[in-house]
Amino acid sequence: MTTTNTPAGQIPQTVPQFSSTFDAYTLSEIRRAAATGIYDIRGGGTKRKLPHFDDLLFLGASISRYPLEGYREKCGTDVVLGTRFAKKPIHLKIPVTIAGMSFGALSANAKEALGRGASIAGTSTTTGDGGMTPEERGQSQTLIYQYLPSRYGMNPDDLRKADAIEVVIGQGAKPGGGGMLLGQKISPRVAAMRCLPQGIDQRSACRHPDWTGPDDLEIKILELREITDWEKPIYVKVGATRPYYDVALAVKAGADVVVLDGMQGGTAATQEVFIEHVGIPILAAIRPAVQALQDLGMHRKVQLIVSGGIRNGADVAKALALGADAVAIGTAALVALGDNDPRHEEEYRKLGTTAGAYDDWHEGRDPAGITTQDPALAARLDPVQAGRRLANYLSVMTMEAQVIARACGKSHLHNLEPEDLTALTLEAAAMAQVPLAGTGWIPGKTF
Amino acid sequence: MCGIVGLLVKTPALREQLGELMVPMMIGMTERGPDSAGLAVFTAPLPAGRRKISVFAGYLEDADRYDWQALVDALNRDLDAHAEVAARGRHAIVSFAIAADAVRNWIADYQPLLKVFSTGRSIDLYKDIGTPAEVAARYGFAGFKGTHLVGHTRMATESAVTPDRAHPFTAGEDFCLVHNGSLSNPNGIRRMLAPHGIRFDTDNDTEAATRFLEWRLREGDELKEALQKGFEVLDGFYTFLMGTPTELALIRDPFACKPAVVAETDDYVAIASEFRSLAHLPGVNHAHVFEPAPEEMYVWKA
Amino acid sequence: MESVNFDLAATPLREVNHYLHHQAPARAGQQVRIDNPNGAHAIAAGLNAPLDVVIEGHAGYYAAGMNQHATVTINGSAGTGVAENMMSGKVHVKGFASNAAGATAHGGLLLIDGDAGLRCAISLKGANVVVGGSVGSFSAFMAQAGNLVVLGDAGEALGDSLYEARIFVRGTVKSLGADCEEKPMGEAERAILADLLQQAGHADVDPASFKLYGSARTLYNFHVDNAGAY
C-alpha cells in the first residue's frame, strides 16, 4: 500500500485502482479478440487455480498402525490393465502411464523420447490424433493406439501392432470438443499421415463419424475386438464432466479400462474458453467414477486410469487411494523431456512469453523442439537423453508414491484407500469425500 | 440409450400371435438396453364408460404376492367403481366405470407406493427392471394379443435404473412413447409445461417429450401437427416410437443419429432399432425393408 | 469355384471371423459364403487378404469394417458403417446401406446399389464410393480425399467442410454444406468418373449427366469474415 502526503489545501486523491473483474489479462484478451476476430487458441491445460490433490494429506502410521521400512520392505507398484475381456492384458511395472499425444502436435523425436523413457520405466505410451509412427512403435515396449473421431492415420495394420486400443470419446481439456491443429504445424509428413493438404487448419470432429451413444459404442467395441481377435484390451477415454454416468456407460458398452481425464489435462491446441470453462477437476471426478464401478460390481475388474494435473508421487498415491488403478501423465512428461525449460529463456522472450508460461504449441515454434514440426527445432531434442530424463522422473514419482504407501503400512500401492486421506479444505473434503482434517466430517455424507 | 421395437399386425389372425412375434424382437435388443424393458399393448377399447389403468406394485415388499383383489374390493366399497382386475404378479390392469382421476387419487391414498403407469381404454402397459428376457418372462409377454404394441429396452444414461424410469412413458389417456437417444433440453421443456398444470412422475428426459406431445394432442393438434412442434422444440438426439389406440408413429431427429429399421409385409409392420430384431419374423426376407428418413413422420394405422 | 459355407445361425461370428483372418488366406481362390447373417454386426471385419466373401442376407453394423484386399459382397442391406475405414479391396452392397457407409475409408471401392443413409462417405480419406441410389444428408462431411459418386439425389448439407475429395452427383442436391461448391468438370475428373462408373457396372451412364462438387477452400485457414460458416 502506497501512501502519499497530500499538500495542505488540496483534496486527497485515491490511488489508481484496477478492476478485479477486468484484470490486466482480461483487458489484454478483449483487445486481442477485437484486433483479430478469432478466439484465443493455445496448448496445455487450465491455468486457473483449482481444487486439487494438494488439498489432501495422508494419515501416516503411528501407534494404531505400523509403517513399512523404506528400501527394505516390499511395496509393490505393478498393475495389470484389461483383465475383463482381452486375451492379452497389459502388464505394467508402475501405475504411471503416458497419456495420448499426437505425432503432429509433438515432433517425431519427442514421440520417440516418450517411448524410450516409458519403456525403461516399464510403462506404456499412447498415440494421439494422427496415427502411429514407426519411431514410437519401435521405441515403446507397450503402446496404446488411440481410436479418435478424426481417424487420422487410422489403419488396421497399426491396430494389430498395438498392445491395446483406446477409444477416445473426449479429453479433460475440452469435453465435447474436437481437436484443432493449425496450418503452421501441418508439415508434409503430418499432412500425408492425415490425408490432408499441407499448411491448412485441421478442425477434427467432436463426435465419432460412425456411431453415437453408448448403445452403438458397444457395437463399435465389438467390431474392434473382432478385428483384433479379442486379444487387445479396449480402453474408453472420457473427459471429466458427468463421471458417474459416463463411467457406468463405458462399462456397459464393454470397456476393459476406463480413462478419466480431468480438466487440468492438456491439449495440443484448443480454444482458451474451452480449456478454462468446460469440465471438472480430477479431484472431483474420481469418487463418482469409482462409485459407478462399485455400483456395477466392476471396481478393479474394469480398471480406472485417471489423468489431469498429475505431477508427483503424492498425486499418484492420492489418485490410487481414491480408487484409481493407475494414472496417466502428459504435461508433466513433456516438462521432463525439456518443455518450457528456462535454458531457452532468451527465445521464449522473442516469442513474447517466458519459460514456464509458453503455451502457443499450435504455432510450432517451440524452442525446446517438442511441440513442433520444424526440422531444425525438432533436432534440438535428443530422444535418447530426453527419454532418460523421462525415465528418471517416472522413477522418482514411483519412489515417492512408495514412500507414502509404506508410511501408511501398505505393501502395495493398490492397498491405499480413501480412509488413508484427510482434507485440508472444505471443498476438497466434499469433492474427494474424505473427512476434513481433525474431524470425522465428510460434507454431504456425515453430520 | 436403448433399443426400440414396434409391431402392428394387419391380418386379424396374427393378433393372437402379437406377443409371441414380439418377444424375440425385444430380446434382440438386449445389448442396446440391458437395464430394463417395457411394453405397451393396444387392445380392443373398453366400452365408452369404462377406463383401465396399469398399476405396478414393485416398490412394495412382497410385491409378487400383492393382494390385488383386496385393492379392487376396497375400491368398489369406497367409490362404487365397478372395478375388475387382471393381475400378473406385481403388475395389474384395473378397469372401472368411474373417472380415472378419481381412481388414481384413491390409489395414492390407499397405497402411496403403488405406481400407475398408464390410463386409457385400450392401453395395457408393463415395465420393470431386468433384461428383456427376464421382464418378458415375468409378465408373460409372449401370450399378449392385440393389434399393435410398442416396446423398449433401456440402457440408462442420466436417470436411475428403476421400474418407473423404464419405457414406455405415457401421458393422458392411451398415448405412449419410447425413445432411443438423449434430449439436451428436457429441463427447459419441463419448466415450459409446468405452468400448464402438467406434473412429472420422474426426472427422465423421455417423460418430458411424452408429456409435451400429449399436451399438444390434448390442445387439439393432430398427431402430425404435434410431431412437427416436437421437431421445433425438442433438442438432442431421438428416435421416437409412439402408440395410440389406432396408430403407430415413428420419427427421427434431423441428424438421425439413432437407428431404426422397418420391415413391412401384407401381414404386418415391424420396427426395430436394428435388423437383427426383425430377422425371425415370418416372410421378412420378402418384406419391404427400409430405414425411416430423418424428420419424416411415419404413421401406420391399426 | 471352390467354396466354404458358414451358417451364422449355427456358428458364432467370432469363429467365422477367426477363420477369415487366419485360415482363409492360405486357401486362395476359395469363396466363403455366410448364410443367415440376420443383421449380425462386424461380419467379415478386419480382413487382410484377397478373399472372396459373400454375405447372403442383411448385415448389421460395420460389415467388412477396415477391409484390406478382400472382396465382400452383401446380398442384402448393410447396417451403419459398412466398409468403415476400408484400406483396399472392394465391398459391394446389393441392397441399401445405412448411415456412415464408407466412413473414413482410405482406399478400395465401396459399391452400394440402393440408397445410402446419412453421412455417407463421412471423413472419406481416399476411397471411392459409388451409390446407385440416393444419399442422405451430411454426406461427404469433412471428406478429405477420394471420390463419392451418387447416381441419384443428395440430401442436405452435401460436402460440408469438404477438403480435397470429389463429389459427383447425377440427380438433385437438396443443399450444399459450408465451403462446398459446384466446380467445372475437366477432362481429368470426367475420366475418373467414367472409370468409377465402369468399375461399378454403370458403364451405360453418361459421365456428362453428373455435376462435380468440391471444396471452395475458403475455410482452409481461418478468416474472421468466414466465422459464421464454422
Side-chain angles (χ1 to χ4, degrees), chain B residues 194-206:
Chain B
H196 298 285
I198 291 169
R199 295 191 201 294
F200 295 85
D201 294 330
T202 71
D203 56 356
N204 190 288
D205 59 338
T206 305

Side-chain angles (χ1 to χ4, degrees), chain B residues 52-63:
Chain B
K52 57 183 175 179
I53 56 177
S54 172
V55 190
F56 179 72
Y59 291 93
L60 291 156
E61 282 182 28
D62 216 13

Side-chain angles (χ1 to χ4, degrees), chain C:
Chain C
M1 191 193 297
E2 194 195 343
S3 95
V4 58
N5 288 9
F6 286 98
D7 182 353
L8 270 185
T11 308
L13 173 73
R14 216 188 288 190
E15 276 179 36
V16 176
N17 280 339
H18 195 270
Y19 175 86
L20 293 170
H21 295 165
H22 300 285
Q23 281 92 50
R27 300 178 189 176
Q30 177 198 56
Q31 186 180 72
V32 181
R33 204 179 81 197
I34 299 172
D35 291 322
N36 289 314
N38 289 350
H41 304 312
I43 302 173
L47 304 190
N48 191 22
L51 310 178
D52 177 10
V53 179
V54 179
I55 299 169
E56 291 289 353
H58 298 296
Y61 283 43
Y62 311 128
M66 291 201 157
N67 185 51
Q68 282 171 298
H69 310 297
T71 297
V72 179
T73 306
I74 300 171
N75 285 317
S77 68
T80 297
V82 62
E84 65 87 17
N85 215 90
M86 175 164 59
M87 304 304 291
S88 60
K90 177 176 163 184
V91 175
H92 189 172
V93 182
K94 296 288 185 75
F96 68 85
S98 183
N99 294 345
T104 76
H106 285 68
L109 177 63
L110 170 61
L111 301 181
I112 299 162
D113 290 350
D115 293 339
L118 286 80
R119 298 180 283 283
C120 180
I122 182 173
S123 209
L124 191 71
K125 289 173 170 43
N128 294 311
V129 180
V130 182
V131 181
S134 298
V135 296
S137 298
F138 314 107
S139 287
F141 176 70
M142 289 179 106
Q144 299 172 208
N147 298 288
L148 169 63
V149 178
V150 183
L151 275 71
D153 303 327
E156 304 266 15
L158 179 71
D160 196 289
S161 304
L162 192 64
Y163 293 102
E164 292 298 292
R166 296 179 203 91
I167 308 171
F168 301 93
V169 184
R170 193 178 184 212
T172 58
V173 174
K174 208 163 181 187
S175 69
L176 292 175
D179 212 29
C180 181
E181 65 178 12
E182 190 181 338
K183 303 241 184 202
M185 202 186 316
E187 275 311 306
E189 290 90 358
R190 199 185 310 277
I192 288 166
L193 174 58
D195 178 50
L196 287 173
L197 289 169
Q198 176 84 34
Q199 287 186 52
H202 298 300
D204 54 324
V205 176
D206 181 6
S209 61
F210 287 78
K211 286 179 176 168
L212 170 65
Y213 302 89
S215 177
R217 299 178 183 139
T218 58
L219 301 182
Y220 274 14
N221 293 97
F222 183 87
H223 188 276
V224 61
D225 293 334
N226 295 330
Y230 284 90

Side-chain angles (χ1 to χ4, degrees), chain A residues 385-431:
Chain A
Q385 284 179 12
R388 185 70 247 176
R389 285 197 295 273
L390 175 61
N392 289 344
Y393 170 60
L394 288 167
S395 177
V396 169
M397 285 179 106
T398 306
M399 289 191 294
E400 286 176 343
Q402 284 174 302
V403 164
I404 287 171
R406 284 195 181 98
C408 294
K410 317 283 181 180
S411 62
H412 197 290
L413 294 181
H414 278 175
N415 293 333
L416 289 163
E417 49 194 5
E419 290 76 9
D420 295 316
L421 292 165
T422 190
L424 272 176
T425 64
L426 272 176
E427 61 193 14
M431 290 180 189

